[in-house]
């Protein structure tokens, strides 16, 4: 149906048509250009690609009136300094993982994932509908930023190791690249955690600066080539059951945006989030097959290691919550949400897994 005929049929006159057209092409909106540094190398077309998708959606929805120029890690700021650049106004927006900044305050870990915490679905539900966005943004306000949901990698793997690890004692003294708060957990078991940006991990493994490394999952891990140096591939990534990725926006710049642009930016982040999750679920199974065919050795962490890590995580959570009011407030928000909904998620997730397992055997 032609647009002119549509207007006649629906009874919209010239005034109504103008009302519909104005938001779509942002005729009266100002021209704005922002810069977005990211924590990702361009080679990772899921992480960097998700941020690119967000920028593209913003431009298309505003008829190119609102443009965001994206930069890979290290192009204008190092990958682990994206928050700082946005906080001090060097850049208006950044795409990163909140837990990279746990050194400033352990509370940052909740904006990505907490060890032995929720999966992708529960994290997203808490952020969007369970008060997570509000309690996190209250915390982020102290750093002059506001957060927008802008990605999720789904369940992650447990990393690449030069040698097998079978007991908690095997971890002692190991230099392990691991992001965020999980490194503090593993310190309790004698691990020496190293936080490195994605593009710096392979050289560190190659030089022997680190003994093991975790990143995301099969698709990204294959691209970064870890299996060539550390062939033992472990699961699960208990520290990241479904880590959120966020776009941090400078608070002053956010408040100065027209409401329409704020809405466009938020919805573009949701699009990037859905794109990224679908992309990983599509690409990871095939990548894992290729890795195994290329010589990677797949292992599950032993029950002894999992039990020791779980105990260390719970101890650390309690220790930090006792001395950090910010951490306790966000921790309690997440705990209440997952506690209230536990029975539902248990029935839905476990029941579906049992059904699918039986179906595959029939």
């Amino acid at each position: 149906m032609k647009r002119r005929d549509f207007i006649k049929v629906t009874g919209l006159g010239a005034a109504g048509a103008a009302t519909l057209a104005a938001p779509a092409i942002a005729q009266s909106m100002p021209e704005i250009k922002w810069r977005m540094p990211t924590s990702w190398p361009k080679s990772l077309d899921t992480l960097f690609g998700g941020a690119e998708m967000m920028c593209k959606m913003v431009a298309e929805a505003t008829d190119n009136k609102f443009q965001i120029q994206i930069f890979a890690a290290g192009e204008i700021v190092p990958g682990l300094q994206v928050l700082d650049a946005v906080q001090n106004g060097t850049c208006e927006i950044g795409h990163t993982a909140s837990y990279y900044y746990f050194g400033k305050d352990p509370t940052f870990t909740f904006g990505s994932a907490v060890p032995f915490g929720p999966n992708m679905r529960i994290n997203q539900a808490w952020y969007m509908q369970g008060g997570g966005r509000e309690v996190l943004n209250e915390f982020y306000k102290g750093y002059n930023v506001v957060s927008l949901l802008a990605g999720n990698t789904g369940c992650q793997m447990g990393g690449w190791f030069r040698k097998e690890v079978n007991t908690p004692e095997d971890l002692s003294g190991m230099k392990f690249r691991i992001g965020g708060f999980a490194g503090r957990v593993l310190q309790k078991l004698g691990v020496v955690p190293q936080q490195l940006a994605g593009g710096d991990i392979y050289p560190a493994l190659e030089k022997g600066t680190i003994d093991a490394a975790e990143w995301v999952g099969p698709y990204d891990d294959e691209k970064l080539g870890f299996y060539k140096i550390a062939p033992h591939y472990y699961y699960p990534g208990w520290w990241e059951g479904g880590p959120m990725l966020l776009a941090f926006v400078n608070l002053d710049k956010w408040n100065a945006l027209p409401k329409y642009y704020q809405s466009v930016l938020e919805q573009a982040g949701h699009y990037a989030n859905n794109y990224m999750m679908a992309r990983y679920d599509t690409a990871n199974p095939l990548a894992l097959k290729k890795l195994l065919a290329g010589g990677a050795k797949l292992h599950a962490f032993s029950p002894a290691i999992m039990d020791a890590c779980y105990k260390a995580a719970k101890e650390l959570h309690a220790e930090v919550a006792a001395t950090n009011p910010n951490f306790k407030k966000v921790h309690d928000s997440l705990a209440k949400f997952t506690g209230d909904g536990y029975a539902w998620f248990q029935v839905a997730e476990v029941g579906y897994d049992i059904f699918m397992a039986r179906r595959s055997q029939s």
Side-chain angles (χ1 to χ4, degrees):
M1 182 182 291
K2 293 182 180 179
R3 181 175 179 274
R4 183 180 303 168
D5 294 336
F6 172 78
I7 292 171
K8 289 180 181 179
V9 171
T10 55
L12 290 172
T19 301
L20 285 177
I25 60 176
Q27 290 282 7
S28 62
M29 292 291 122
E31 291 191 6
I32 295 177
K33 292 186 178 181
W34 279 9
R35 297 193 301 169
M36 175 194 274
T38 73
S39 295
W40 330 117
K42 290 182 178 179
S43 59
L44 298 179
D45 60 355
T46 41
L47 293 165
F48 187 80
E52 275 188 315
M53 187 64 68
M54 182 177 183
C55 298
K56 178 183 177 184
M57 292 297 102
V58 169
E60 289 185 358
T62 62
D63 204 26
N64 288 316
K65 291 290 186 71
F66 187 5
Q67 296 185 25
I68 302 175
Q69 185 179 7
I70 188 172
F71 296 90
E75 287 188 334
I76 54 175
V77 298
L80 301 183
Q81 293 180 23
V82 171
L83 171 66
D84 305 80
V86 177
Q87 180 183 355
N88 63 32
T90 301
C91 299
E92 296 82 4
I93 185 172
H95 196 278
T96 187
S98 177
Y99 67 5
Y100 285 162
Y101 312 100
F102 83 100
K104 299 176 183 291
D105 188 314
T107 311
F108 275 101
T109 193
F110 292 101
S112 293
V114 63
F116 292 100
N119 64 12
M120 172 177 64
R121 286 178 58 198
I122 303 175
N123 250 342
Q124 181 164 303
W126 170 65
Y127 183 91
M128 293 180 63
Q129 299 288 328
R133 172 173 48 194
E134 291 77 13
V135 73
L136 282 173
N137 279 338
E138 182 181 345
F139 166 69
Y140 293 141
K141 188 176 180 180
Y143 293 84
N144 196 38
V145 299
V146 63
S147 71
L148 300 174
L149 191 63
N152 196 307
T153 69
C155 184
Q156 297 199 0
M157 293 290 284
W160 298 88
F161 295 74
R162 292 180 179 274
K163 60 181 182 179
E164 293 188 41
V165 290
N166 299 305
T167 68
E169 291 73 26
D170 291 337
L171 297 172
S172 184
M174 178 175 291
K175 291 172 289 187
F176 186 16
R177 184 279 168 195
I178 185 165
F181 196 59
R184 293 269 303 274
V185 174
L186 287 170
Q187 273 185 308
K188 285 180 168 286
L189 302 180
V191 170
V192 183
Q194 310 286 317
Q195 183 154 277
L196 301 172
D200 298 328
I201 301 174
Y202 186 93
L205 269 176
E206 189 175 39
K207 295 174 183 176
T209 307
I210 56 177
D211 305 304
E214 63 82 32
W215 180 237
V216 176
Y219 183 68
D220 284 347
D221 291 359
E222 183 199 10
K223 282 181 171 292
L224 294 178
F226 303 142
Y227 65 97
K228 300 174 185 177
I229 303 170
H232 299 284
Y233 200 21
Y234 278 83
Y235 68 90
W238 48 262
W239 43 86
E240 297 181 69
M244 298 179 291
L245 300 175
L246 301 176
F248 285 131
V249 185
N250 180 276
L251 194 56
D252 296 329
K253 294 295 184 180
W254 171 256
N255 289 333
L257 273 184
K259 293 296 183 183
Y260 174 57
Y261 280 5
Q262 287 183 352
S263 179
V264 165
L265 195 57
E266 185 172 4
Q267 295 309 312
H270 284 301
Y271 186 92
N273 179 61
N274 291 334
Y275 166 85
M276 192 180 294
M277 289 190 293
R279 180 64 181 151
Y280 274 118
D281 283 344
T282 301
N284 275 331
L286 296 175
L288 181 58
K289 289 181 180 179
K290 290 176 65 177
L291 286 167
L292 296 177
K297 300 175 175 62
L298 190 62
H299 309 273
F301 283 126
S302 69
I305 288 178
M306 291 294 290
D307 288 344
C309 290
Y310 182 79
K311 180 181 178 182
K314 293 305 177 184
E315 288 177 354
L316 184 61
H317 293 169
E319 291 167 6
V320 177
T323 60
N324 187 320
N326 289 327
F327 186 95
K328 185 177 187 307
K329 185 171 185 177
V330 182
H331 177 276
D332 289 352
S333 170
L334 180 59
K336 182 179 186 303
F337 180 77
T338 55
D340 288 347
Y342 179 73
W344 157 246
F345 287 117
Q346 185 181 43
V347 170
E349 295 285 351
V350 177
Y352 181 76
D353 289 345
I354 291 173
F355 169 76
M356 292 301 291
R358 289 175 177 170
R359 184 183 178 199
S360 67
Q361 294 169 2
S362 62

